[in-house]
């Protein structure tokens, strides 16, 4: 009897363990890692093509920057935005085409200001400017309508969570122990974590101009193209004129390097803040953890020099809100605070993100309270605050840091400024971009003359919309045959400055899923997908592939 009881217990235990294992194991035709706008459009397209798909999202909130504060869309030329990206902006239009969408402002009072195109384009039934929660709702509607399976708050085990056999990913495992098997995988993260963990070649930082024969890559000392530099002579030392007193916070003691040479530094990150001046929806700027007014002494000196452009990037979104971005020599960009981010552990990244949050909250609190801020600007600033009805589960603070650049894949084809500036024809296009070569400041240093200066701010207009190559989103075949990388694609630093726009990420996410479906149907590697078939499908999806 005792033996029978033991056998029974063992059987029950085995059954329980088997059930537990089954709950921890999932499979689909296509596994997408990420919660960005590219991840969602990839998931929608995979489902529409009849493939089973799972989104493994480290994010709880879907949509990345599109739902994380970047509501003043960097459209470039809207005519090259097609497919699901255009459907996204059409759905935004439909939302704001109802009276109930305008809670804090009359529609006619909004003003219709956009970037590169009117905010509300009635003829095309698209809207390019929106509140964060509206973008998130559109993303969630995409998920619900297409019956996408999404596992949120699931973080790739970057040490040993990618199982590769004979150059193909078989499965990925998250820190919670969930294992996802797939035929094809898409890395749609801003960081490129799946790509890196799969041992695919990549680059971090700026290449020297000599690497790809470029002009605008590499270190760009004394090049000022957006006005985000110190136009006046500002002393960098704690005690003006006294080197021995040490540098003010945020200024590097390192030499900036030789113009045109490469480095491992990154253009600055920030949060795109959603602010409001509506009294009933406004939350006062909070005092952050570890606040120290000395961290903003350099800004005080900028104001004392006569600078008064504080409100130049309070770009309006509906309902008396803003998408507030970096502007000026000392602003929301936390220059130098992100260098370690791409390769950092999750714990280290959380600290970097928190440092950016504290820096930016401290900046607002400093300007709102410090006696050195010009009184007229301070009074106006204090009519603004965080929007009470946005990011409600995160203290009204954006849940997504603006990862302007992290890892970038290095494949057989690398997009460069030559394609963006129309100097080189692109083979096998899968979408288009049109924005300028755009990089934010990368470092802040002391000039030979002894004054503070920024470096890295570049803005060179693309003369015409340009195509993006299919080979730029697939790794070298010998490195991985079933992975597509639509966000951290194969591209130089400065060319990525044009491609790194949310509409383009949506376009590339959709194209990646289309290629993945064709690879599955043909039993092919992603590198061997017949372009003629891919092109036909993309055109049927109303993607724009070439200049008209």
């Amino acid at each position: 009897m005792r033996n029978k009881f033991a056998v029974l217990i063992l059987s029950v235990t085995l059954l329980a363990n088997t059930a537990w294992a089954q709950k921890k194991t999932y499979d689909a035709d296509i596994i997408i890692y990420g919660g960005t706008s590219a991840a969602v459009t990839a998931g929608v397209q995979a489902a529409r093509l009849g493939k089973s798909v799972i989104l493994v999202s480290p994010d709880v909130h879907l949509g990345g920057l599109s739902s994380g504060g970047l509501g003043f869309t960097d459209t470039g030329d809207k005519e090259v935005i097609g497919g699901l990206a255009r459907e996204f902006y059409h759905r935004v239009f439909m939302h704001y085409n109802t009276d109930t969408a305008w809670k804090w402002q009359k529609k006619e009072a909004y003003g219709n200001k956009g970037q590169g195109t009117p905010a509300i384009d009635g003829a095309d039934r698209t809207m390019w400017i929106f509140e964060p929660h509206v973008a998130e709702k559109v993303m969630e509607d995409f998920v619900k309508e297409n019956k996408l399976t999404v596992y949120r708050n699931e973080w790739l085990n970057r040490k040993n969570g990618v199982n590769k056999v004979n150059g193909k990913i078989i499965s990925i495992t998250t820190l919670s122990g969930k294992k996802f098997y797939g035929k094809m995988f898409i890395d749609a993260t801003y960081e490129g974590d799946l790509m890196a963990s799969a041992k695919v070649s990549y680059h971090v930082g700026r290449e020297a101009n000599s690497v790809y024969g470029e002009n605008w890559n590499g270190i760009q000392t004394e090049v000022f193209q957006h006005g985000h530099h110190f136009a006046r002579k500002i002393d960098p030392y704690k005690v003006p004129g006294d080197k021995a007193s040490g540098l003010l916070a945020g200024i590097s003691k390192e030499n900036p390097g030789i113009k045109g040479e490469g480095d491992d530094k990154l253009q600055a990150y920030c949060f795109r803040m959603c602010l409001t001046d509506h009294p009933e929806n406004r939350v006062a700027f909070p005092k952050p953890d570890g606040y120290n007014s000395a961290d903003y002494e350099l800004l005080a000196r900028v104001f004392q020099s006569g600078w008064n452009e504080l409100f130049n990037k309070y770009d309006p979104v509906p309902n008396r809100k803003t998408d507030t971005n970096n502007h000026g020599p000392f602003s929301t960009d936390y220059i130098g605070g992100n260098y370690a981010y791409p390769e950092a552990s999750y714990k280290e990244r959380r600290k970097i993100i928190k440092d950016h949050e504290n820096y930016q909250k401290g900046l607002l609190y400093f300007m709102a309270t410090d006696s050195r801020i010009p009184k007229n600007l301070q009074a106006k600033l204090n009519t603004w605050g965080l929007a009470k009805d946005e990011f409600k589960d995160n203290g009204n603070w954006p849940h997504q840091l603006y990862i302007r650049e992290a890892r970038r894949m290095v494949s057989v084809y690398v997009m460069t400024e030559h394609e963006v500036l129309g100097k080189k024809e692109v083979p096998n296009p899968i979408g288009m971009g049109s924005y300028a070569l755009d990089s934010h400041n990368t470092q802040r240093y002391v000039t030979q003359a002894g004054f503070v200066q920024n470096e890295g701010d570049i803005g060179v207009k693309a003369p015409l919309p340009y195509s993006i190559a299919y080979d730029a989103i697939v790794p070298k075949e010998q490195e991985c045959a079933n992975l597509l990388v639509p966000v951290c694609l194969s591209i130089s630093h400065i060319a990525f400055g044009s491609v790194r726009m949310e509409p383009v990420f949506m376009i590339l996410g959709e194209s990646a899923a289309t290629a993945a479906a064709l690879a599955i149907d043909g039993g092919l590697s992603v590198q061997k997908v017949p372009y003629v078939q891919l092109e036909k499908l993309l055109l049927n999806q109303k993607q724009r592939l070439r200049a008209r």
Side-chain angles (χ1 to χ4, degrees), residues 248-488:
L248 293 174
I251 303 174
S252 172
K253 63 182 179 182
E254 296 180 10
N255 185 291
I258 300 170
K259 185 176 181 180
E261 290 298 305
D263 60 18
D264 58 1
K265 296 180 173 66
L266 296 166
Q267 60 176 306
Y269 298 169
C270 72
F271 286 94
R272 298 288 287 249
M273 300 181 299
C274 187
L275 306 182
T276 182
D277 65 349
H278 196 294
E280 295 178 39
N281 196 35
R282 187 179 68 223
V283 177
F285 297 125
K287 184 177 183 179
D289 300 334
Y291 173 74
N292 181 358
S293 62
D295 291 341
Y296 307 96
E297 169 63 27
L298 182 57
L299 176 60
R301 293 184 188 181
V302 173
F303 279 123
Q304 289 164 5
S305 74
W307 187 80
N308 64 352
E309 300 174 22
L310 176 58
F311 300 100
N312 280 29
K313 284 301 292 180
Y314 279 45
D315 293 315
V317 302
N319 284 310
R320 285 178 62 173
K321 297 176 189 174
T322 73
D323 169 358
T324 297
N325 193 17
N326 182 79
H327 180 77
F330 189 108
S331 187
T332 59
D333 277 2
Y334 188 23
I335 299 172
N338 60 340
Y339 297 160
Y341 183 86
E343 305 287 16
S345 67
Y346 291 134
K347 180 180 179 181
E348 291 166 338
R349 283 184 186 170
R350 285 193 294 271
K351 183 182 184 304
I352 291 169
I353 292 168
K354 185 64 176 177
D355 287 346
H356 278 74
E357 178 183 335
N358 286 342
Y359 165 80
Q360 228 165 304
K361 285 182 175 178
L363 174 69
L364 293 166
Y365 186 79
F366 176 82
M367 291 190 295
T369 62
D370 197 275
S371 60
R372 289 167 290 179
I373 304 302
K375 294 303 179 187
N376 62 324
L377 296 178
Q378 190 169 69
K380 184 178 177 182
L381 179 67
N382 280 310
T383 67
W384 291 91
L386 304 180
K388 190 184 298 183
D389 61 350
E390 300 288 350
F391 313 119
K392 290 189 285 188
D393 63 347
N394 197 42
N396 310 116
W397 192 256
H399 41 69
Q400 176 65 60
L401 180 64
Y402 196 170
I403 310 301
R404 287 193 173 93
E405 187 174 347
R407 301 183 181 96
R408 288 173 283 107
M409 183 167 64
V410 179
S411 190
V412 294
Y413 191 94
V414 181
M415 293 276 295
T416 68
E417 70 177 45
H418 302 301
E419 287 88 346
V420 175
L421 298 180
K423 298 176 181 179
K424 184 177 178 182
E425 189 173 345
V426 175
N428 300 338
I430 55 166
M432 298 189 74
S434 61
Y435 207 76
L437 298 172
D438 181 75
S439 175
H440 281 234
N441 280 308
T442 302
Q443 53 185 333
R444 178 175 288 143
Y445 66 101
V446 179
T447 66
Q448 290 184 344
F451 302 104
V452 64
Q453 193 50 271
N454 295 333
E455 180 276 323
D457 178 53
I458 298 295
V460 178
K461 186 175 181 180
L464 292 169
Y466 58 89
S467 299
I468 299 168
Y470 177 62
D471 285 345
I473 70 165
V474 296
K476 298 169 185 174
E477 189 167 14
Q478 67 270 27
E479 292 185 346
C480 195
N482 66 336
L483 174 68
L484 296 109
V485 186
V487 176
C488 296

Side-chain angles (χ1 to χ4, degrees), residues 156-173:
L156 177 68
N157 182 334
R158 290 159 57 194
K159 290 184 179 179
N160 52 22
V162 177
N163 179 21
K164 274 177 74 178
V165 177
N166 296 327
K168 283 188 174 183
I169 302 173
I170 304 301
S171 66
I172 64 173
T173 304

Side-chain angles (χ1 to χ4, degrees), residues 203 206-214 217 260 262 414 416 418 492:
H203 186 82
R206 300 183 286 189
E207 299 92 347
N209 279 331
S210 59
V211 175
Y212 300 118
E214 296 175 292
N217 208 335
V414 181
T416 68
H418 302 301
S492 72

Side-chain angles (χ1 to χ4, degrees), residues 20-21 23-26 56 151-157 161 171-181:
W20 179 85
K23 282 187 175 181
K24 287 282 189 175
T25 302
Y26 312 86
V56 183
Y151 291 90
R152 305 174 196 243
N153 198 27
E154 290 292 341
W155 299 80
L156 177 68
N157 182 334
S171 66
I172 64 173
T173 304
T174 58
L175 294 179
S176 71
K178 292 184 177 67
K179 184 171 286 191
F180 299 89
Y181 289 86

Side-chain angles (χ1 to χ4, degrees), residues 468-524:
I468 299 168
Y470 177 62
D471 285 345
I473 70 165
V474 296
K476 298 169 185 174
E477 189 167 14
Q478 67 270 27
E479 292 185 346
C480 195
N482 66 336
L483 174 68
L484 296 109
V485 186
V487 176
C488 296
L489 65 160
S490 180
I491 192 166
S492 72
H493 150 72
I494 195 59
F496 190 66
S498 173
V499 168
R500 63 171 181 84
M501 304 301 158
E502 289 292 294
V504 181
F505 288 155
M506 293 185 213
I507 290 166
L508 296 182
E510 178 180 355
S511 296
T514 305
L518 284 173
I520 291 170
D521 291 344
L524 302 167

